[in-house]
């Protein structure tokens, strides 16, 4: 056995052992990477190299967008925007069978897109909608399932922090602007698919529906939500038009959200230190994950793992569509025990060369990968959104698993459609020549 193969085995074995011992993911990645590298070189240069790779891994102007988008999302979460979006969504779809479930999906899509955070959408929308839906006869388990799965659409519909992370991991082969515009149709398709299943359940169980809102009421709620929705067009439109970069757009998002929250009166100036502190904590966790993940990603390159994986897959499977399917099965498994940020940073350098060699566009693969790992966020044992959504609904994880399964099946079907029909994600980037 070569030292390279032994090093990779030690890396994965130590990583899984640390995870089973409930060591935080970022520390598990950093420790296992260090142990693996020390098999190749002496301790002092090895530890120095890991530290250097961690620092250089976040030495990127594009990554500055993440703390600002996190801050913008926190301001929006506290600024009453969720209520305005829920009321607007309710005026549009509450008259349909299972109307409040539609409201949950649509509000999660809008809030997740505006905040760029699936967790923020889960907690903000779920904390409001679960009680409302229970009053109308919806089981809390069903409401939680709707909330958990629909909140992932915010990771596809821009602005999305994870798409910025993928752009970094891709080594510049996929631009942030192209990824942002490519995420629209898959994100909307996922939302519509979830609504389709909601309609089926609502008709079968005869869930209640409300009276159709008059146009005057719809206009009133739209007017109240308009400036919140406008942020999407300002940020994404500015990036696509080349007016500003994603990082500059994130700063604009913070200023816009802060001014809007102050005008609405939902946040006062004295509340901002608390908002900044919460955002700083979230940013620190994300950035440390990125640091250690970039070090592990470098180790994979150092050990020629992408080349080994590419050769293995091409030798074992002759059909590129089968290879795409195998890669997605691996990512589905990875997503069940690893958070989305380190998964993107670690596995993009491994699989991207393989799919590009087979003719897949890096932007297309980025959307497929993020959508794939979104499913992992909704599944045990590590599913962050699963635990947040269950906590917000005040039910146990075991209670939500059974009603969640059909929604996960819908997500897998959408994943396969996006995987094998590239036009779903590539139509808009090609239209805008990105």
């Amino acid at each position: 056995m070569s030292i390279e193969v032994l090093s990779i085995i030690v890396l994965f074995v130590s990583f899984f052992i640390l995870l089973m011992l409930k060591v935080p993911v970022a520390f598990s990645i950093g420790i296992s990477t260090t142990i693996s590298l020390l098999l190749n070189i002496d301790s002092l240069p090895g530890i120095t190299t890991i530290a250097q790779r961690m620092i250089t891994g976040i030495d990127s102007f594009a990554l500055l967008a993440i703390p600002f988008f996190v801050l913008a999302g926190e301001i929006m979460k506290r600024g009453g925007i969720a209520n305005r979006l829920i009321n607007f969504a309710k005026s549009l779809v509450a008259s349909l069978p299972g109307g409040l479930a539609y409201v949950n999906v649509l509000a999660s899509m809008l809030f997740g897109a505006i905040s760029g955070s699936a967790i923020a959408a889960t907690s903000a929308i779920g904390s409001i909608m679960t009680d409302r839906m229970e009053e109308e006869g919806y089981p809390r388990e069903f409401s939680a399932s709707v909330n958990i799965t629909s909140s992932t659409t915010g990771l596809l519909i821009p602005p999305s922090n994870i798409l910025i992370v993928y752009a970094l991991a891709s080594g510049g082969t996929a631009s942030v602007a192209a990824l942002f515009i490519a995420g629209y149709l898959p994100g909307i398709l996922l939302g519509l698919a979830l609504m389709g299943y909601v309609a089926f359940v609502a008709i079968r169980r005869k869930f209640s529906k409300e009276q159709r809102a008059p146009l005057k009421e719809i206009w009133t709620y739209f007017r109240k939500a308009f400036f919140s929705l406008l942020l999407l067009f300002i940020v994404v439109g500015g990036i696509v038009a080349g007016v500003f970069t994603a990082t500059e757009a994130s700063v604009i998002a913070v200023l816009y959200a802060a001014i809007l929250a102050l005008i609405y009166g939902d946040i006062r100036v004295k509340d901002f230190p608390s908002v900044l502190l919460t955002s700083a904590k979230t940013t620190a966790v994300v950035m440390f994950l990125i640091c250690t993940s970039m070090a592990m990603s470098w180790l994979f390159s150092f050990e020629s793992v992408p080349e080994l994986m590419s050769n293995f897959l091409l030798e074992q499977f002759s059909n590129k569509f089968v290879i795409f399917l195998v890669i997605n099965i691996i990512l589905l498994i990875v997503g069940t025990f690893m958070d989305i940020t380190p998964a993107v940073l670690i596995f993009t350098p491994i699989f991207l060369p393989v799919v590009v060699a087979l003719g897949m566009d890096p932007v297309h693969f980025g959307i497929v990968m993020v959508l794939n790992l979104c499913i992992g966020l909704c599944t045990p044992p590590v599913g962050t959104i699963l635990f947040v959504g269950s906590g917000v609904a005040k039910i146990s994880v075991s209670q939500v698993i059974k009603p969640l399964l059909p929604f996960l099946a819908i997500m897998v079907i959408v994943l396969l459609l996006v995987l094998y029909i590239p036009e779903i994600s590539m139509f808009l980037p090609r239209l805008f020549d990105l």
Side-chain angles (χ1 to χ4, degrees):
M1 182 183 296
S2 67
I3 188 65
E4 290 82 5
V5 174
L6 176 62
S7 177
I8 296 302
I9 292 174
V10 169
L11 173 66
F12 282 108
V13 170
S14 59
F15 176 65
F16 287 122
I17 290 174
L18 290 167
L19 283 181
M20 286 189 290
L21 293 174
K22 297 185 178 180
V23 177
V25 175
F27 288 98
S28 299
I29 293 171
I31 293 170
S32 59
T33 301
T34 304
I35 293 172
S36 179
L37 184 61
L38 293 181
L39 294 176
N40 292 275
I41 57 180
D42 294 334
S43 58
L44 182 59
I47 294 173
T48 303
T49 299
I50 294 297
Q52 181 188 42
R53 293 297 168 179
M54 287 176 64
I55 298 301
T56 56
I58 58 170
D59 184 16
S60 169
F61 180 73
L63 281 182
L64 281 174
I66 291 179
F68 286 109
F69 276 131
V70 168
L71 177 56
E74 185 64 25
I75 294 172
M76 293 171 196
K77 181 180 174 182
R78 300 199 190 187
I81 289 176
N83 264 320
R84 291 180 180 84
L85 294 176
I86 287 173
N87 289 333
F88 174 55
K90 186 177 178 182
S91 69
L92 291 176
V93 297
S95 61
L96 299 172
L100 284 184
Y102 286 115
V103 174
N104 198 327
V105 175
L106 187 57
S108 294
M109 290 174 67
L110 293 172
F111 189 85
I114 292 172
S115 67
S117 170
I119 293 177
T122 306
S123 57
I125 303 301
S127 60
I128 299 170
M129 287 302 302
T130 304
D131 291 337
R132 287 193 186 183
M133 292 176 70
E134 186 178 35
E135 292 172 0
E136 297 295 329
Y138 294 81
R140 295 186 78 86
E141 297 84 0
F142 177 77
S143 303
S145 301
V146 174
N147 181 42
I148 288 166
T149 49
S150 62
S151 62
T152 60
T153 57
L155 297 178
L156 292 166
I157 302 173
S160 167
N161 288 336
I162 196 61
L163 291 179
I164 297 172
V165 171
Y166 174 81
L168 172 72
S170 71
T173 57
S175 70
V176 174
L179 288 165
F180 272 14
I181 202 73
Y184 269 113
L185 293 183
I188 293 171
L189 176 62
L190 177 58
L192 292 175
L194 294 173
M195 286 182 180
Y197 177 70
V198 164
F200 169 76
V201 175
I203 293 171
R204 192 182 65 176
R205 297 191 186 182
K206 298 181 180 179
F207 286 145
S208 63
K209 60 181 179 179
E210 300 185 7
Q211 291 184 344
R212 184 184 299 274
L215 288 176
K216 184 178 180 181
E217 184 178 331
I218 295 175
W219 169 251
T220 299
Y221 285 126
F222 171 74
R223 185 164 44 83
K224 291 180 178 180
F226 173 75
F227 289 105
S228 303
L229 297 170
L230 186 61
L231 178 61
L232 279 175
F233 296 96
I234 293 174
V235 171
V236 180
I239 295 172
V240 172
V243 177
F244 38 70
T245 65
T247 303
E248 293 163 345
S250 67
V251 178
I252 292 171
V254 169
L255 291 173
Y256 185 93
I259 293 171
L260 197 61
L262 289 171
I263 291 174
Y264 284 151
D266 297 313
I267 291 182
R268 292 171 291 181
V269 174
K270 69 177 185 179
D271 296 326
F272 276 97
S274 173
V275 173
L276 290 169
L277 181 60
T278 303
S279 302
K281 290 179 179 178
T282 303
T283 300
V285 172
V286 173
M287 286 302 182
F288 188 57
L289 269 172
I290 292 175
C291 280
T292 54
S293 299
M294 291 301 287
M296 181 179 279
S297 178
W298 170 82
L299 182 64
F300 283 148
S301 178
F302 179 75
E303 300 289 359
S304 301
V305 172
E307 291 82 358
L308 292 173
M309 179 62 71
S310 179
N311 292 336
F312 172 78
L313 289 174
L314 292 173
E315 288 173 3
Q316 296 298 318
F317 307 100
S318 58
N319 189 307
K320 69 175 183 179
F321 297 108
V322 175
I323 295 177
F324 293 159
L325 183 61
V326 170
I327 289 174
N328 274 272
I329 291 172
I330 294 172
L331 289 175
L332 283 171
I333 296 170
V334 166
T336 61
F337 64 83
M338 186 179 292
D339 195 53
I340 191 168
T341 300
V344 166
L345 288 166
I346 291 170
F347 289 93
T348 298
I350 295 176
F351 292 129
L352 184 59
V354 179
V355 298
V356 169
L358 295 172
M360 181 181 282
D361 190 284
V363 173
H364 179 204
F365 180 67
I367 300 301
V368 169
M369 188 178 202
V370 169
L371 175 54
N372 187 308
L373 295 172
C374 281
I375 299 172
L377 292 174
C378 306
T379 57
V382 180
T384 310
I385 297 177
L386 172 64
F387 288 101
V388 172
S390 302
V392 166
K394 298 177 183 177
I395 57 176
S396 67
V397 171
S398 58
Q399 288 177 281
V400 80
I401 291 297
K402 185 177 179 180
L404 185 66
L405 290 176
F407 288 94
L408 295 178
I410 295 295
M411 295 183 75
V412 171
I413 292 171
V414 173
L415 170 64
L416 292 174
L417 289 174
V418 174
L419 171 63
Y420 289 118
I421 307 176
E423 289 75 16
I424 295 175
S425 50
M426 296 307 299
F427 173 74
L428 290 179
R430 288 167 181 164
L431 182 65
F432 290 96
D433 196 26
L434 294 173

